[in-house]
Amino acid sequence: MTDFSLCKRIMENMSQVIVGKQSAMELLLVALLADGHILLEDVPGLGKTLIAKSLARSIGGVFKRVQFTPDLLPSDITGFNVYSQKNGNFTFQPGPVMTNVLLADEINRTIPRTQSSLLESMEERQVTVDGRTLILPCPFFVMATQNPIELAGTFPLPEAQLDRFLLRIRLGYPDKKEEILMLERFQEQDPLTHLEAVTNPEEVTRLQQARKAIHVSPPVREYIAEIAGATRSHKALRFGTSPRGSLGLMRAGQALAVLRKRDYVLPDDIKYLCFPVLAHRIILQDEERLRGRLPEQILEEIIAQVPVPAPMD
């Protein structure tokens, strides 16, 4: 039986550090349980590093952070071999990708070659250095960030690489009450330093495997396929979502069902996840972009038009 309580314990533990952001933390765990990765697009200073560290501490995993810059090389991510003159051998120095939770900060500030090296690791769960293949730890979870304001000197991720991220979310500013509570909580000490693990990576990996058994009924699968098909035929879109997007929507729905203590996926789960799972996978027509329309607005139209499956007896 799936351990539903584990997800609740992780979120409650993270809430000792993170003020508010319940929806963002839920989506973070959705990506983790679905064995995917997440792209955070938001302005600096909203707690992206803090939320990644809190997750790593809560699951008892290793956390590493890489600040992406234009001079960052693929070997700075994956690792490299160092020659020892003493014994005449090469010794592999693992890169920051050998971790459980990796924060790829400002991924769009590095060159495409370095971006690709990380994205390959995300997809294959392995790195190859000088012909030697190394398997990454389990779980392996990447949180990549992009600053949507400062675009000078950046290398935007191509659509094919954006498609590798299961979810794209924005944290947003805290409201007044949350900001006051944050000031109070961090006034005298950093609560992150006292945060204890409530589980371990092995348990998280088992939960990822158990997520696959969450029931997805034929009507829900058909609902996912109809939404995906509607994105491919909508006149406002140049390109709709890929089949990887459909699979991601199903896996994310299973993970959300686990978080909400169910062993089956509801159509409402799919509707809720359409925006974070599909918005970065669709491309608007040029005239729609010039009119200032957003992918989320198109998805809202599609969701309103696609019939929701009726409950089964």
Side-chain angles (χ1 to χ4, degrees), residues 139-151:
F140 174 63
F141 181 59
V142 174
M143 288 178 57
T145 71
Q146 287 192 133
N147 180 353
I149 298 176
E150 299 177 25
L151 300 178

Side-chain angles (χ1 to χ4, degrees), residues 292-308:
R293 299 194 73 187
L294 300 174
E296 288 82 359
Q297 294 173 310
I298 307 300
L299 284 173
E300 194 170 359
E301 292 178 9
I302 289 172
I303 292 170
Q305 293 169 1
V306 175
V308 180

